[in-house]
Amino acid sequence: MSKGKLQKFAEMETFSNVFQYPFSVISKEAFPMKGLWNDNYFHNANPIVLELGCGKGEYTVGLARAYPDVNFIGVDIKGARIYTGARQALEEQLDNVAFLRTNIEFIDNFFAKDEVREIWLTFSDPQMKNVHKRLTSTFFLNRYRKFLIDNGLVHLKTDSGFLFTYTTYLIEKNHLPMVFRTENLYANEITSNESQNYSMPDDKTREILGIRTYYETQWIERGLNIKYMKFRLPSSGTLVEPEVEIELDDYRSYKRPKRSELLTSK
C-alpha cells in the first residue's frame, strides 16, 4: 500500500462520519447501529438514502448539500476513495452525511427493515461476466428489500450500455414500476411522471442529476452517453433474472481495452 493511502487510512480513523466494517470485521461482530442510524448517529427522524459504490462520495455530498432534511450514507469498500468525500463533508460541517466502508455483498447487515428510503447506484461496475455481482441483479435487489421501504426508489446512473440494458430487461421481466428512464441524460429535458417521496422541483432534479463524478467526467470526455433510470422496488414477489443476450460494452475503463473477446452475455 502506498504511503499516501496509509496516511489517508490513518487520518480516516479519526473521522467521526466514517464507519469501517469490511468483511473481516462484520464476520466477527454485529454492526451495533443496525436499525439505530437515526437515533445514534444522525439524531433525527429524517429519511435515509444510500449511495452504494459511492467512490469519492461526489453524489453523497452533493445530495446532502441539496437536501439538508434527508440523511445520506455513502458505501464503498475502497477507503482511499471514501476519504475524499468524508473529509469534504466534515470541512463543510454536513451533519446529514455518513460513510460506511464495507463489502456491498453484506449490506443487509447494516440496516434494519424499512430503515432506508432510496438507493443510488452511480457508475457501478457492470460486472458483465458475473450476474450475481451486478448491483441491480436479483441477488442484490433481494438484499435491498430487507431494509428498503416498500416501493422505495432505486436510482441507476451509468455509462454502461450493458448494465443499463440488463437492468431494463430485469425491470420489465419482474414488472417493477419504472418512474423515469433516459438513454442520453444530458441531451433530454428531464421530467418525471411521478412525484418523489420528498419534494424535488424540476430545476432541483436537473441540479442533482448534473452532479458529475470522477468517473463520469472520464466517460463524457470519451463521448459516451450518460444513462439514467429510477424504479420502485416492491417488498414482496419473487424476482427472476431475464434470459436474454445483451451486447457487451466495447471498453472497460479510462484508456483500457474491453474486458472480454465475447460480444454478448446474459
Side-chain angles (χ1 to χ4, degrees):
M1 186 178 295
S2 68
K3 183 178 179 180
K5 285 188 177 180
L6 288 173
Q7 290 177 336
K8 288 181 179 179
F9 273 106
E11 186 177 352
M12 204 160 59
E13 289 287 345
T14 69
F15 288 0
S16 60
N17 61 352
V18 175
F19 300 86
Q20 303 196 64
Y21 278 78
F23 176 72
S24 60
V25 177
I26 198 64
S27 62
K28 298 176 182 178
E29 60 182 87
F31 185 62
M33 288 205 310
K34 182 177 180 178
L36 299 171
W37 280 93
N38 279 346
D39 291 339
N40 292 357
Y41 178 76
F42 293 112
H43 306 295
N44 59 49
N46 295 336
I48 294 175
V49 175
L50 304 185
E51 183 190 5
L52 302 182
C54 69
K56 296 176 181 291
E58 296 100 322
Y59 253 87
T60 301
V61 173
L63 287 165
R65 291 193 197 104
Y67 296 99
D69 295 328
V70 178
N71 299 323
F72 296 92
I73 303 173
V75 184
D76 205 298
I77 191 58
K78 300 290 187 179
R81 295 177 183 172
I82 284 179
Y83 170 88
T84 302
R87 181 173 181 177
Q88 186 173 15
L90 289 174
E91 290 174 348
E92 296 184 26
Q93 298 183 338
L94 297 172
D95 56 8
N96 62 330
V97 176
F99 287 91
L100 174 63
R101 187 174 77 85
T102 194
N103 307 78
I104 298 177
E105 291 90 336
F106 311 105
I107 192 64
D108 50 313
N109 287 278
F110 298 91
F111 302 95
K113 181 177 174 57
D114 297 331
E115 192 169 17
V116 174
R117 192 181 67 185
E118 298 182 24
I119 293 172
W120 280 81
L121 307 172
T122 52
F123 299 93
S124 309
D125 189 324
Q127 296 289 349
M128 293 186 286
K129 293 182 180 181
N130 190 338
V131 63
H132 296 300
K133 291 186 177 182
R134 295 172 203 156
L135 295 188
T136 56
S137 68
T138 58
F139 177 87
F140 279 101
L141 293 184
N142 281 320
R143 277 158 174 73
Y144 305 157
R145 281 175 154 183
K146 295 180 180 180
F147 54 80
L148 188 67
I149 63 171
D150 187 27
N151 285 307
L153 281 173
V154 179
H155 304 258
L156 172 65
K157 190 178 183 187
T158 182
D159 61 284
S160 171
F162 177 87
L163 182 61
F164 194 75
T165 302
Y166 161 78
T167 306
T168 299
Y169 279 125
L170 184 143
I171 290 170
E172 292 174 349
K173 178 76 173 180
N174 293 282
H175 306 290
L176 303 179
M178 181 77 80
V179 178
F180 182 82
R181 180 183 183 279
T182 176
E183 296 184 8
N184 194 344
L185 179 62
Y186 298 123
N188 294 334
E189 183 73 10
I190 303 304
T191 60
S192 175
N193 61 5
E194 182 181 8
S195 61
Q196 296 195 22
N197 289 337
Y198 53 90
S199 176
M200 182 182 281
D202 287 347
D203 58 344
K204 185 65 72 175
T205 303
R206 297 187 189 94
E207 177 185 341
I208 294 302
L209 292 175
I211 297 173
R212 295 188 178 181
T213 69
Y214 170 78
Y215 293 103
E216 180 175 4
T217 301
Q218 292 182 347
W219 307 138
I220 293 174
E221 288 176 352
R222 293 175 68 178
L224 298 175
N225 289 347
I226 304 303
K227 305 159 185 66
Y228 168 76
M229 70 170 71
K230 60 180 175 180
F231 60 95
R232 295 196 178 277
L233 182 59
S235 299
S236 60
T238 301
L239 297 174
V240 295
E241 289 290 334
E243 291 293 325
V244 293
E245 291 286 333
I246 303 171
E247 184 178 356
L248 298 178
D249 297 333
D250 60 359
Y251 63 95
R252 183 172 183 180
S253 60
Y254 195 57
K255 295 183 179 179
R256 296 179 68 183
K258 63 183 292 187
R259 292 174 172 79
S260 169
E261 294 303 317
L262 296 175
L263 298 178
T264 64
S265 179
K266 290 185 178 180

